[in-house]
CSV table of all heavy atoms in Angstrom, one decimal:
chain,number,residue,atom,x,y,z
A,250,GLU,N,-3.1,33.8,-10.9
A,250,GLU,CA,-3.6,32.6,-10.3
A,250,GLU,C,-2.6,31.4,-10.4
A,250,GLU,O,-2.7,30.4,-9.6
A,250,GLU,CB,-4.9,32.2,-10.9
A,250,GLU,CG,-6.0,33.2,-10.5
A,250,GLU,CD,-6.5,33.0,-9.1
A,250,GLU,OE1,-6.0,32.2,-8.4
A,250,GLU,OE2,-7.5,33.7,-8.8
A,251,ASN,N,-1.7,31.4,-11.4
A,251,ASN,CA,-0.9,30.2,-11.7
A,251,ASN,C,0.5,30.3,-11.0
A,251,ASN,O,1.4,29.7,-11.4
A,251,ASN,CB,-0.7,30.0,-13.2
A,251,ASN,CG,0.0,31.2,-13.8
A,251,ASN,OD1,0.3,32.2,-13.2
A,251,ASN,ND2,0.2,31.1,-15.1
A,252,GLU,N,0.6,31.1,-9.9
A,252,GLU,CA,1.9,31.2,-9.2
A,252,GLU,C,2.1,30.1,-8.1
A,252,GLU,O,2.5,30.4,-7.1
A,252,GLU,CB,2.1,32.6,-8.6
A,252,GLU,CG,2.2,33.7,-9.7
A,252,GLU,CD,2.3,35.1,-9.1
A,252,GLU,OE1,2.2,35.2,-7.8
A,252,GLU,OE2,2.5,36.0,-9.8
A,253,THR,N,1.6,28.9,-8.5
A,253,THR,CA,1.6,27.8,-7.4
A,253,THR,C,3.0,27.5,-7.0
A,253,THR,O,3.2,27.2,-5.8
A,253,THR,CB,0.9,26.6,-8.0
A,253,THR,OG1,1.5,26.2,-9.2
A,253,THR,CG2,-0.6,26.9,-8.2
A,254,GLU,N,4.0,27.4,-7.9
A,254,GLU,CA,5.3,27.0,-7.5
A,254,GLU,C,5.9,28.0,-6.5
A,254,GLU,O,6.5,27.7,-5.5
A,254,GLU,CB,6.2,26.9,-8.7
A,254,GLU,CG,6.0,25.7,-9.5
A,254,GLU,CD,6.2,24.4,-8.8
A,254,GLU,OE1,7.2,24.4,-7.9
A,254,GLU,OE2,5.5,23.4,-9.0
A,255,GLU,N,5.7,29.3,-6.8
A,255,GLU,CA,6.1,30.4,-5.9
A,255,GLU,C,5.5,30.2,-4.5
A,255,GLU,O,6.1,30.4,-3.5
A,255,GLU,CB,5.8,31.7,-6.5
A,255,GLU,CG,6.4,32.9,-5.7
A,255,GLU,CD,6.0,34.2,-6.3
A,255,GLU,OE1,4.8,34.4,-6.7
A,255,GLU,OE2,6.8,35.1,-6.3
A,256,GLU,N,4.2,30.0,-4.5
A,256,GLU,CA,3.5,29.9,-3.3
A,256,GLU,C,4.0,28.7,-2.4
A,256,GLU,O,4.2,28.8,-1.2
A,256,GLU,CB,2.0,29.7,-3.5
A,256,GLU,CG,1.3,30.9,-4.0
A,256,GLU,CD,-0.1,30.7,-4.4
A,256,GLU,OE1,-0.6,29.5,-4.3
A,256,GLU,OE2,-0.8,31.7,-4.6
A,257,ARG,N,4.3,27.6,-3.1
A,257,ARG,CA,4.8,26.4,-2.3
A,257,ARG,C,6.2,26.8,-1.7
A,257,ARG,O,6.5,26.3,-0.6
A,257,ARG,CB,4.9,25.2,-3.3
A,257,ARG,CG,3.7,24.4,-3.4
A,257,ARG,CD,3.9,23.0,-3.9
A,257,ARG,NE,4.4,23.1,-5.3
A,257,ARG,CZ,3.6,23.0,-6.4
A,257,ARG,NH1,2.3,22.9,-6.2
A,257,ARG,NH2,4.1,23.0,-7.6
A,258,PHE,N,6.9,27.6,-2.4
A,258,PHE,CA,8.2,28.0,-1.9
A,258,PHE,C,8.1,28.8,-0.6
A,258,PHE,O,8.7,28.5,0.4
A,258,PHE,CB,9.0,28.8,-3.0
A,258,PHE,CG,10.3,29.4,-2.5
A,258,PHE,CD1,11.4,28.6,-2.2
A,258,PHE,CD2,10.4,30.7,-2.2
A,258,PHE,CE1,12.6,29.1,-1.8
A,258,PHE,CE2,11.6,31.3,-1.7
A,258,PHE,CZ,12.7,30.5,-1.5
A,259,PHE,N,7.2,29.8,-0.7
A,259,PHE,CA,7.0,30.6,0.5
A,259,PHE,C,6.3,29.9,1.6
A,259,PHE,O,6.6,30.2,2.8
A,259,PHE,CB,6.2,31.9,0.1
A,259,PHE,CG,7.1,32.8,-0.7
A,259,PHE,CD1,6.8,33.0,-2.1
A,259,PHE,CD2,8.1,33.5,-0.2
A,259,PHE,CE1,7.5,33.9,-2.8
A,259,PHE,CE2,8.9,34.4,-0.9
A,259,PHE,CZ,8.6,34.6,-2.3
A,260,ASN,N,5.5,29.0,1.3
A,260,ASN,CA,4.8,28.2,2.4
A,260,ASN,C,5.7,27.4,3.2
A,260,ASN,O,5.4,26.9,4.3
A,260,ASN,CB,3.6,27.4,1.8
A,260,ASN,CG,2.5,28.2,1.4
A,260,ASN,OD1,2.3,29.4,1.8
A,260,ASN,ND2,1.6,27.7,0.5
A,261,SER,N,6.9,27.1,2.6
A,261,SER,CA,7.9,26.2,3.3
A,261,SER,C,8.7,27.0,4.3
A,261,SER,O,9.5,26.4,5.0
A,261,SER,CB,8.8,25.5,2.3
A,261,SER,OG,9.6,26.4,1.7
A,262,ASP,N,8.6,28.3,4.3
A,262,ASP,CA,9.5,29.2,5.1
A,262,ASP,C,8.9,29.3,6.5
A,262,ASP,O,7.7,29.4,6.7
A,262,ASP,CB,9.6,30.5,4.4
A,262,ASP,CG,10.8,31.3,5.0
A,262,ASP,OD1,11.7,30.7,5.6
A,262,ASP,OD2,10.8,32.5,4.8
A,263,ILE,N,9.8,29.3,7.5
A,263,ILE,CA,9.4,29.6,8.9
A,263,ILE,C,9.5,31.1,9.1
A,263,ILE,O,10.4,31.7,8.7
A,263,ILE,CB,10.4,28.8,9.8
A,263,ILE,CG1,10.2,27.3,9.6
A,263,ILE,CG2,10.1,29.2,11.3
A,263,ILE,CD1,11.2,26.5,10.5
A,264,GLY,N,8.5,31.6,9.8
A,264,GLY,CA,8.4,33.0,10.1
A,264,GLY,C,9.6,33.5,10.9
A,264,GLY,O,10.2,32.8,11.7
Side-chain angles (χ1 to χ4, degrees):
E250 291 284 3
N251 61 359
E252 292 178 358
T253 54
E254 286 298 325
E255 182 183 44
E256 288 177 352
R257 276 200 291 269
F258 174 73
F259 287 110
N260 286 344
S261 68
D262 197 18
I263 295 175

